[in-house]
Amino acid sequence: MIEQHVLDLQEVDEMQVAVVGGKGAHLGALSRIEGIRVPAGFCVTTDAFRRIMAEAPSIDDRLDELSRLNPDDREVIRTLSAEIRRTIEGIAIPGDLAAAITRALAQLGEQAAYAVRSSATAEDLPTASFAGQQDTYLNVVGPAAILQHVGQCWASLFTERAVTYRLRNGFDHRKVHMAVVVQQMVFPHAAGIVFTADPVTGNRKVATVDAGFGLGEALVSGLVNPDVYKVRDGEVVTKAVAAKKRAIHASPAGGTQVLPIDPQRQELPALTDAQVVRLVQLGRRIEAHFGRPQDIEWCLVEDGFQIVQSRPITTLFPIPEAGAQENHVYLSVGHGQMMTDPMKPLGVSVWQLTAMAPMHEAGGRLFVDVTRRLASPASRAGLLDLMGRGDPLMRDALETVLDRGDFIPLLPDGGPGGPPVGGASAPIETDPAIVTELIERSQASIAALRRDIRTKTGPALFDFLLEAFQEQKRVLSDPLSVQAIMAGMEATWWLNDRVREWLGEKNAADTLTLSAPNNVTSEMGLALLDVADVIRPHPQVVAFLQGIEDEGFLDELPKLAGGTEARDAIEAYLDRYGMRCVGEIDITRPRWRERPTTLVPVILDNIKLFEPGAAERRFHQGRQEAEKKRQDLLERLRALPDGEQKADEVKRMIDRVRTFIGYREYPKYSIVSRYFVYKQALLEEAERLVQANVLLEKEDIFYLTFQELHDVVRSNQVDDQLIQQRKDAFRSYHALTPPRVLTSDGEAVAGAYRRDDVPAGALIGLPVSAGTIEGRARVIRDMAEADLEAGDILVTAHTDPSWSPLFVGITGLVTEVGGLMTHGAVIAREYGLPAVVGVEQATRLIRDGQRIRVHGTDGYVEILPSK
C-alpha cells in the first residue's frame, strides 16, 4: 500500500488532482500527449501529506484559528503560518515512506539533479490558478537533500501568501492538501512561458511567447525582461528582443545562481522565429488536450523543447457561445444597465427570457451581438452615434474593431443590418397626459400580474410565468412608451447641441432637467428623506437603528417610543420601493423588502445631514433653478440674430424635455416590480422543494436556469453536483472584469477617450452632469456601508437606481461605469450633482478620504494635494 504514496508521472492524468495536486495532474497529462516531452519524475501523493499532518495534532487548533481570521490580519497570519511550517518541517518522514521515495529515485538515477515542486490540490484550477503560492526547489542532489525538500514543500502549503490567498478566495485550509513532484532537472539554453491566448487582450488567436537565457525562474521572478513574441496563424507578427543582462543557472553545489550574460550575447534573441512558431504549435496541441487556453512553462535543451508545467489561464474573460464560425462583436449589457457584477444562472435566464433583444451569456454577464448592425453602413452609423453620445469608450472600442477592416465583412447599404438602433421615432405631442397614461397602463398590468399569480403553483406556475414574460415585453415595447423615452433623450441632445452652437454653453440641459416631474427614481431618494423626518424626533428609535443587524428589526420597533410611526413610515416606503436593490436586473439579488437593513445607514445619514422638510425644499429649489435657467437662456437667445425663432425652438424643446425625461426611469421600475412578483412565486416553489427534500436550501434555485428549475418542479429531482459546479463558477466570475466590447476571438477591446484638453494627471471620464465641486471622496462599494458627511463626493464602480437614496446626501458623483443616459447620470442631473462617469479604475486610483475636484461639465476628476 505504501507504494501508492509514490506514483510515476506516467501513471497520472488530469483527473487525479485529489491524489497528486494540480501541478502533478497536469504534468502527468502532459506526459501522455503525443509529441510533448516532459522531464521524467514521480509524485509523492497527498496521502503522504495527510499522514504527516496526522503526526502533529496541534496543527488542528492552529487551522481552526487560521480559518477564523480576516485576510487583512497579516501579523496574526504571519505568526500562525510560521508556527505550522516549523511543526511540519520538524516531523521526521516515516521510514517506509522515505524508502519508497528513495526507491523511485534509484530508478531515475540517485545522484542526478532534481527539481522538487509543490503541487497543491487547489492549484492550477480553471477557476483559481494559485500561481506562485507554494514553493519549488531546483537542482537538488542526493536522497537526503530531496527528502528534506519534500518536507519543505509540504510546509509551503502554509506560507503567509498561500494562507491569505485561500482566505480571500474562500478555500478551506483543511480541504487543500499538498503533493510533491520530483522531476529530473533540465539545464536549458533558454526557457520561458508560452500563453496560448494573449494574456493582455484575451485574443485566443494570438499566442504570446516570453523567452530568456538559462532557467525560466529569471523571467517568473522578474529578474530580467524577456524577449516577447506574438504569433498568429503560424507567423510571428511582432517581436521585441530585450537586453538580457543576467540569467539563472544551476549551481555546481546544488541550487541555483544568478550569472551575468556576456555583453555580446545580451541583445541576441533567445529563440529563432522558427523555434517560436514550433513552440506555439506544441502549445496549441496542449491547449487542445485540456480544452482551454494554457499558460505553459518550457525549456529549450539541445534536442528540442521540454514542457515543465501547464496551467489554465484563469484571467481570460470567457467568450459567448455562438453556433456559427464567422466573427462576432458583442457589447456588454451590464455597462448599459450599470451592473457589471456577475449574475447567477436564474438571473441570467430570466433576463434573457424578458429582454427585448437576444442576449448571450459569458462569465456570468450578458452581451448583445451587434455584428450585423456593424456590417450595414446605415445601422452602423446609428449604433456608433448612439454609443458616442452614451459611452464614448464603447464607441471607440467598436471603431477600433472596424478600423482593422478585416474582422467584420461590410454589407452594401440595404443589407440585413436590422433596424437602426434607437431609430428615428415617430414624433409625439408634448403632452404630460401621455406619461400619465403610460404609467397607469404599466401599473394596471402589474396589478393584474399580482392578482393572477396567487393561485399558480407547480408546473402551471412556469407556464403562467412564460406568458407573463411575454406581457412584460408587450408593455415595454409599447410604441408610445418607446416614443416617450426617445422624445426626452432626443430633446436633451438637441438642446445641448443647439445651445452650445448658439451660446457657446456646454450641457445646458443638465440644469433644465432639475426636479423634472414623474421621475420615480429621484422621487425614491427624496421619499427616504421624508422617512428620516418621521424618525428624527424619536431618540430611542434612532439609537435602536444604530445597532441593528437582524432583518426582523421592523417587528421590534413598536416596543419603543415613536417606534410604531417609524415602522409605518419604513413599511410604506418598502411598499412602494421594496422591490429595488443593488444589481436589480438579477432577479436573485436580495431586495430591500427582503433585506431592509440595507436602508438603515442611509436613513441615519439623512437624519444626521438634513433638517426637517428637506425633500420638499430640494424639489422646489430644483424646479426654481430649472425655471431660472430657462428664462436666462431665452433672454440671451432673443438678443441673437433670428433670436425670437431660436428662443421659440428652445422653449418648445425645454417643455419637451421636462415632459418626457422623467419617464426615462419608469420602464426599469416596472421591470423590477414584476421581477419581485416572479421571485416571490419562485421562492414559494423552492420552499416546497426544500420541504420535499429535493433541495437543501431555497437559494439553490438561483443556480439553475428557469428551464432547469421548471424541470426540477416537474420531476422532483435535482442534480446537486450541477448546483455545486455553478456555485464554484459564480464565485470565480467575481475575479473577472467584463469588457465593454468583446470579440468572438476573445479579445477584450477597451476603448479610449482620445482627449488632450484635460490637465496632466487628471482622471478622464464622460461629463454627464454639469458643474464643478470639491470635496472628500467617499469610496463606497456597497450601499450598506454608507457613512456620509456633509459635502462628500461619492466614488463607486457603478450606480443603478437603488443608489439614488444616497444621492440626496452627496455633492458630486464619480463612477467607473456609465453613460449619458444611464440611471446614475439622469438622477445626478435631476439633483444638480456634478458628475463624471466612465472613469476607468476610479475606485482604485482615488483613495477613500482624499480631496478631489469633479469637473462635471468637462468630464474629468483631479486628485488634490492633501492639506
Side-chain angles (χ1 to χ4, degrees):
M1 185 61 209
I2 188 62
E3 294 298 341
Q4 285 309 105
H5 286 337
V6 177
L7 292 174
D8 190 278
L9 276 180
Q10 297 280 339
E11 299 176 71
V12 174
D13 64 26
E14 64 261 49
M15 304 311 290
Q16 288 167 276
V17 172
V19 180
V20 294
K23 189 177 293 159
H26 276 86
L27 283 165
L30 284 165
S31 66
R32 292 157 172 248
I33 303 172
E34 194 179 335
I36 302 298
R37 294 173 59 200
V38 175
F42 58 87
C43 298
V44 182
T45 68
T46 52
D47 278 342
F49 170 76
R50 275 190 283 268
R51 198 171 153 197
I52 293 296
M53 293 289 277
E55 299 274 326
S58 65
I59 290 177
D60 258 8
D61 298 336
R62 298 278 178 273
L63 291 183
D64 284 340
E65 284 182 66
L66 273 185
S67 62
R68 288 194 292 270
L69 292 178
N70 184 301
D72 299 319
D73 296 336
R74 295 174 66 174
E75 208 52 55
V76 193
I77 291 172
R78 184 175 301 133
T79 306
L80 274 177
S81 53
E83 281 179 32
I84 295 172
R85 286 199 306 279
R86 275 198 302 276
T87 305
I88 293 171
E89 285 177 18
I91 298 169
I93 297 178
D96 54 352
L97 177 54
I101 293 171
T102 309
R103 269 196 300 279
L105 283 171
Q107 288 176 348
L108 292 171
E110 265 189 22
Q111 290 313 305
Y114 289 88
V116 183
R117 314 172 72 191
S118 307
S119 179
T121 53
E123 180 179 50
D124 298 348
L125 305 176
T127 56
S129 78
F130 281 77
Q133 299 306 315
Q134 281 90 36
D135 292 348
T136 285
Y137 303 96
L138 300 177
N139 197 31
V140 183
V141 181
I146 285 166
L147 288 171
Q148 181 196 344
H149 285 90
V150 167
Q152 287 174 321
C153 281
W154 286 330
S156 79
L157 190 63
F158 296 99
T159 60
E160 186 188 339
R161 64 181 183 271
V163 167
T164 305
Y165 188 96
R166 288 197 293 274
L167 284 170
R168 285 199 193 288
N169 289 278
F171 283 87
D172 183 342
H173 300 299
R174 293 173 190 281
K175 290 186 180 167
V176 182
H177 300 121
M178 180 66 84
V180 181
V181 176
V182 179
Q183 265 182 301
Q184 281 183 341
M185 192 69 196
V186 288
F187 302 101
H189 157 72
I193 301 162
V194 54
F195 298 96
T196 63
D198 189 317
V200 177
T201 68
N203 195 325
R204 309 306 201 264
K205 292 192 174 169
V206 174
T208 302
V209 174
D210 290 2
F213 294 121
L215 288 162
E217 270 18 61
L219 270 57
V220 176
S221 64
L223 182 69
V224 296
N225 289 326
D227 299 342
V228 180
Y229 304 81
K230 291 193 185 296
V231 176
R232 184 176 184 132
D233 299 330
E235 256 182 83
V236 175
V237 288
T238 65
K239 72 172 163 184
V241 177
K244 301 170 286 296
K245 294 182 179 171
R246 287 169 291 184
I248 294 179
H249 289 282
S251 172
T256 59
Q257 58 188 352
V258 178
L259 296 173
I261 294 175
D262 183 330
Q264 271 86 44
R265 289 184 62 228
Q266 285 179 5
E267 300 205 21
L268 292 176
L271 297 176
T272 66
D273 284 10
Q275 285 172 325
V276 169
V277 170
R278 168 79 186 126
L279 182 57
V280 169
Q281 286 169 345
L282 294 175
R284 292 279 179 230
R285 190 175 293 182
I286 293 167
E287 176 185 66
H289 175 85
F290 289 118
R292 51 166 45 94
Q294 297 287 302
D295 157 357
I296 301 162
E297 293 179 28
W298 55 269
C299 293
L300 177 64
V301 282
E302 299 81 21
D303 53 347
F305 290 106
Q306 298 212 28
I307 304 300
V308 292
Q309 190 160 336
S310 184
R311 60 167 76 94
I313 308 177
T314 57
T315 53
L316 297 176
F317 200 85
I319 307 170
E321 282 182 26
Q325 289 306 301
E326 59 267 19
N327 293 339
H328 293 268
V329 177
Y330 301 98
L331 288 189
S332 163
V333 173
H335 284 79
Q337 291 295 336
M338 302 299 281
M339 202 319 241
T340 55
D341 295 341
M343 295 167 69
K344 296 190 178 95
L346 186 64
V348 167
S349 67
V350 170
W351 188 263
Q352 285 174 317
L353 288 164
T354 53
M356 306 307 295
M359 303 258 162
H360 304 266
E361 185 273 340
R365 278 76 166 194
L366 288 163
F367 294 85
V368 175
D369 187 342
V370 292
T371 317
R372 293 183 72 184
R373 290 193 188 283
L374 289 173
S376 158
S379 59
R380 182 190 323 133
L383 177 65
L384 291 175
D385 182 53
L386 196 69
M387 289 300 129
R389 289 183 182 279
D391 185 342
L393 291 176
M394 219 170 238
R395 175 178 180 140
D396 188 74
L398 289 174
E399 286 179 330
T400 301
V401 176
L402 287 167
D403 287 348
R404 291 173 188 162
D406 60 352
F407 192 78
I408 297 173
L410 300 183
L411 300 169
D413 261 327
V421 176
S425 50
I428 56 171
E429 292 300 310
T430 303
D431 180 0
I434 291 173
V435 173
T436 308
E437 182 193 338
L438 285 168
I439 290 173
E440 283 171 0
R441 279 189 208 173
S442 174
Q443 286 176 336
S445 174
I446 293 166
L449 170 67
R450 286 199 180 104
R451 182 188 67 234
D452 297 344
I453 203 168
R454 284 185 195 135
T455 57
K456 306 292 188 289
T457 61
L461 170 67
F462 288 81
D463 296 336
F464 173 82
L465 282 172
L466 287 170
E467 288 175 25
F469 296 165
Q470 293 309 310
E471 165 66 3
Q472 177 179 323
K473 286 189 186 183
R474 188 192 65 72
V475 171
L476 287 173
S477 60
D478 178 341
L480 191 63
S481 177
V482 175
Q483 286 172 325
I485 293 167
M486 290 310 297
M489 286 164 62
E490 286 166 355
T492 304
W493 298 335
W494 187 95
L495 275 171
N496 280 338
D497 290 348
R498 292 297 179 280
V499 171
R500 188 166 187 175
E501 181 188 336
W502 293 337
L503 296 174
E505 184 178 328
K506 291 180 186 174
N507 304 1
D510 292 2
T511 310
L512 297 166
T513 55
L514 287 169
S515 299
N518 293 311
N519 188 320
V520 70
T521 310
S522 63
E523 287 165 8
M524 178 170 74
L526 296 176
L528 209 57
L529 285 173
D530 292 335
V531 173
D533 285 355
V534 174
I535 295 171
R536 192 180 288 106
H538 304 294
Q540 273 192 12
V541 175
V542 175
F544 170 74
L545 289 178
Q546 279 164 343
I548 60 145
E549 289 177 10
D550 182 7
E551 296 299 344
F553 74 94
L554 288 170
D555 297 333
E556 301 297 312
L557 280 173
K559 298 172 187 172
L560 306 168
T564 302
E565 297 93 312
R567 183 198 60 191
D568 292 349
I570 296 171
E571 284 284 1
Y573 186 86
L574 291 172
D575 286 345
R576 178 116 205 253
Y577 304 112
M579 76 296 284
R580 308 222 83 150
C581 68
V582 171
E584 59 194 10
I585 67 170
D586 180 352
I587 196 174
T588 72
R589 288 287 191 106
R591 311 281 137 179
W592 290 343
R593 170 54 83 185
E594 297 168 299
R595 203 173 283 176
T597 51
T598 309
L599 293 172
V600 171
V602 192
I603 294 171
L604 291 170
D605 278 345
N606 287 349
I607 290 169
K608 178 176 69 177
L609 297 174
F610 295 97
E611 295 295 317
E616 194 176 343
R617 275 197 307 280
R618 284 189 67 133
F619 190 75
H620 182 66
Q621 185 187 343
R623 208 162 44 195
Q624 281 186 316
E625 282 183 43
E627 179 55 31
K628 190 174 154 202
K629 185 72 180 175
R630 178 175 180 270
Q631 300 288 1
D632 171 59
L633 286 176
L634 297 179
E635 211 172 288
R636 286 158 61 201
L637 285 165
R638 288 190 181 109
L640 299 175
D642 298 326
E644 282 300 329
Q645 185 189 338
K646 284 171 179 161
D648 284 349
E649 284 183 56
V650 166
K651 180 174 177 295
R652 201 170 69 249
M653 280 300 175
I654 292 172
D655 290 344
R656 200 162 174 80
V657 164
R658 290 195 66 80
T659 299
F660 291 117
I661 201 66
Y663 179 70
R664 159 82 181 83
E665 292 293 295
Y666 202 84
K668 184 78 168 280
Y669 176 76
S670 168
I671 291 170
V672 176
S673 299
R674 288 169 181 280
Y675 269 22
F676 193 35
V677 180
Y678 306 155
K679 181 182 187 181
Q680 287 170 306
L682 290 170
L683 282 173
E684 282 175 25
E685 283 302 305
E687 184 58 49
R688 189 185 65 73
L689 292 166
V690 171
Q691 297 299 325
N693 294 320
V694 176
L695 287 179
L696 286 172
E697 50 191 20
K698 280 197 302 186
E699 284 74 18
D700 282 353
I701 66 167
F702 298 160
Y703 297 94
L704 299 170
T705 66
F706 183 81
Q707 187 56 54
E708 286 165 352
L709 180 53
H710 192 175
D711 293 341
V712 169
V713 167
R714 255 201 302 255
S715 67
N716 266 350
Q717 289 181 310
V718 73
D719 181 346
D720 291 326
Q721 215 175 343
L722 175 68
I723 289 174
Q724 191 53 52
Q725 282 169 1
R726 296 270 176 80
K727 286 179 178 179
D728 293 343
F730 178 71
R731 191 186 298 117
S732 75
Y733 293 155
H734 282 279
L736 300 173
T737 302
R740 281 178 165 79
V741 172
L742 180 66
T743 73
S744 48
D745 285 353
E747 184 181 1
V749 191
Y753 282 109
R754 310 198 188 282
R755 288 172 53 188
D756 51 14
D757 59 342
V758 296
L763 310 179
I764 302 176
L766 177 66
V768 295
S769 185
T772 302
I773 193 76
E774 268 183 42
R776 178 181 78 147
R778 283 296 282 118
V779 181
I780 298 175
R781 290 181 176 81
D782 180 349
M783 190 173 141
E785 293 166 8
D787 180 16
L788 299 172
E789 298 292 338
D792 280 353
I793 296 167
L794 174 62
V795 180
T796 190
H798 42 70
T799 61
D800 59 13
S802 71
W803 286 74
S804 68
L806 276 187
F807 283 24
V808 298
I810 58 174
T811 57
L813 174 70
V814 179
T815 69
E816 295 179 343
V817 173
L820 200 60
M821 282 296 165
T822 47
H823 302 275
V826 172
I827 305 309
R829 291 194 288 273
E830 285 244 346
Y831 286 170
L833 302 173
V836 180
V837 302
V839 180
E840 297 278 74
Q841 298 195 346
T843 58
R844 291 197 193 107
L845 298 172
I846 300 170
R847 288 197 312 278
D848 187 51
Q850 276 186 319
R851 288 193 66 74
I852 60 173
R853 186 182 296 130
V854 177
H855 295 263
T857 307
D858 295 312
Y860 63 91
V861 180
E862 290 179 283
I863 298 174
L864 303 175
S866 52
K867 290 180 178 175

